[in-house]
């Protein structure tokens, strides 16, 4: 992804608020997705999933995340990102860039596949709100689409694990300024 440099050493307030809000929501979203599909029938977890309408929560939260990532990308294009830390090896900066690009891509592809799946099934209603159908219903086609949604979601989760590992490496072991770019001290913001 091209990096339009901003004049600042840290990410802007909007970028930071969106990053941390989305990080928490994605954690919820992935957990809800796994619980609602994997809880054994009749188990306490499955009953809890029904009682909390987890499918409905997942659908609406997923569409909200899609909207948030589009706002985030627009903000990124408008505001730019902090210039690369010169102490970071080129291969590490390139790898980070690649992981960020794929996370952004998957944050668009994963919810779109989920939305496509519920359009095909069809199961577009959540808490009385009916999402617009992306395509005409075709229940058989919903199966491979939901499979693709699950695979893409797990690739995203894998990238998040690598990303969090790298962030903690910078914060705890290398103790450089990388973590502070996303979580600055007051005087740096
Ligand atoms: C960033 C957004 C999203 C993430 C991270 C996510 C993640 C997941 C995960 C991890 C699962 C479990 C997959 C499995 O093991 O079978 C799942 C299932 C599911 N998701 Fe999502 N999802 C997102 C957005 C959406 C959206 C926008 C919709 C629909 C509007 C949706 C609808 C569904 C449905 C219906 C299932 C169950 C599929 C099945 O029964 O096979 N998801 N999601
Ligand atoms: C679902 C969880 C998360 C997602 C999807 C995510 C995604 C991203 C993305 C796409 C960027 C690049 C921002 C840009 O240049 O536009 C980024 C940056 C960053 N993230 Fe996360 N993140 C998540 C969770 C976390 C967590 C838990 C931590 C800390 C433990 C963290 C620490 C950072 C840091 C320090 C940066 C700045 C890296 C740099 O300056 O190059 N992220 N994140």
């Amino acid at each position: 992804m091209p990096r339009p440099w901003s004049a600042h050493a840290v990410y802007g307030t909007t970028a930071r608020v969106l990053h941390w809000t989305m990080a928490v929501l994605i954690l919820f979203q992935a957990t809800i997705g796994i619980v609602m599909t994997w809880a054994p029938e009749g188990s306490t977890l499955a009953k809890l999933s029904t009682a909390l309408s987890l499918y409905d929560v997942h659908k609406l939260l997923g569409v909200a995340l899609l909207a948030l990532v589009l706002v985030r990308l627009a903000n990124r294009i408008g505001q730019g990102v902090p210039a690369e830390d010169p102490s970071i090896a080129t291969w590490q900066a390139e790898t980070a860039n690649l992981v960020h690009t794929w996370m952004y891509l998957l944050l668009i592809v994963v919810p779109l596949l989920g939305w496509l799946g519920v359009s095909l099934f069809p199961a577009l209603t959540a808490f009385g709100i009916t999402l617009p159908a992306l395509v005409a219903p075709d229940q058989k086609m919903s199966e491979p689409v939901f499979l693709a949604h699950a695979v893409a979601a797990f690739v995203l989760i894998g990238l998040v694990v690598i990303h969090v590992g790298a962030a903690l490496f910078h914060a705890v072991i290398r103790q450089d300024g990388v973590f502070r770019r996303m979580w600055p001290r007051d005087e740096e913001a």
Side-chain angles (χ1 to χ4, degrees):
M1 179 174 294
R3 305 204 118 205
W5 306 122
S6 80
H8 302 283
V10 299
Y11 282 88
T13 311
T14 311
R16 281 183 276 132
V17 169
L18 284 168
H19 174 271
W20 293 110
T21 307
M22 286 187 72
V24 173
L25 294 181
I26 290 164
L27 195 74
F28 269 116
Q29 178 72 348
T31 310
I32 291 170
I34 292 169
V35 168
M36 72 190 199
T37 46
W38 289 13
E41 225 172 293
S43 66
T44 314
L45 213 52
K47 283 179 195 144
L48 197 71
S49 172
T50 311
L52 296 175
S53 310
L54 287 192
Y55 268 97
D56 288 9
V57 176
H58 187 85
K59 285 185 232 172
L60 293 191
L61 187 53
V63 173
L65 279 165
L66 177 61
L68 281 178
V69 80
L70 297 180
V71 172
R72 189 164 163 192
L73 284 169
N75 171 259
R76 189 187 204 275
I77 292 165
Q79 302 297 315
V81 293
E84 242 149 48
D85 184 326
S87 76
I88 307 292
T90 310
W91 74 267
Q92 283 181 8
E94 279 170 2
T95 309
N97 207 1
L98 198 68
V99 171
H100 294 164
T101 304
W102 274 95
M103 286 196 292
Y104 278 130
L105 267 175
L106 288 168
L107 283 170
I108 295 172
V109 168
V110 170
L112 274 182
L113 283 171
W115 195 344
L116 195 61
V118 292
S119 305
L120 290 164
F121 192 72
L124 285 160
T125 307
F127 295 118
I129 300 167
T130 304
L131 298 169
L134 298 181
V135 289
D138 179 352
Q139 200 163 94
K140 223 174 158 33
M141 265 311 287
S142 73
E143 285 172 30
V145 171
F146 279 134
L147 180 65
H149 175 65
V151 171
F154 281 104
V155 173
L156 174 62
I157 293 168
L159 290 178
V160 168
V161 171
I162 294 170
H163 173 70
V164 174
L168 292 179
F169 168 76
H170 284 287
V172 181
I173 298 174
R174 200 164 182 262
Q175 297 190 354
D176 54 21
V178 170
F179 187 77
R180 289 206 305 272
R181 287 149 64 87
M182 203 39 108
W183 194 296
R185 291 196 301 258
D186 286 349
E187 66 270 21
E188 293 166 326

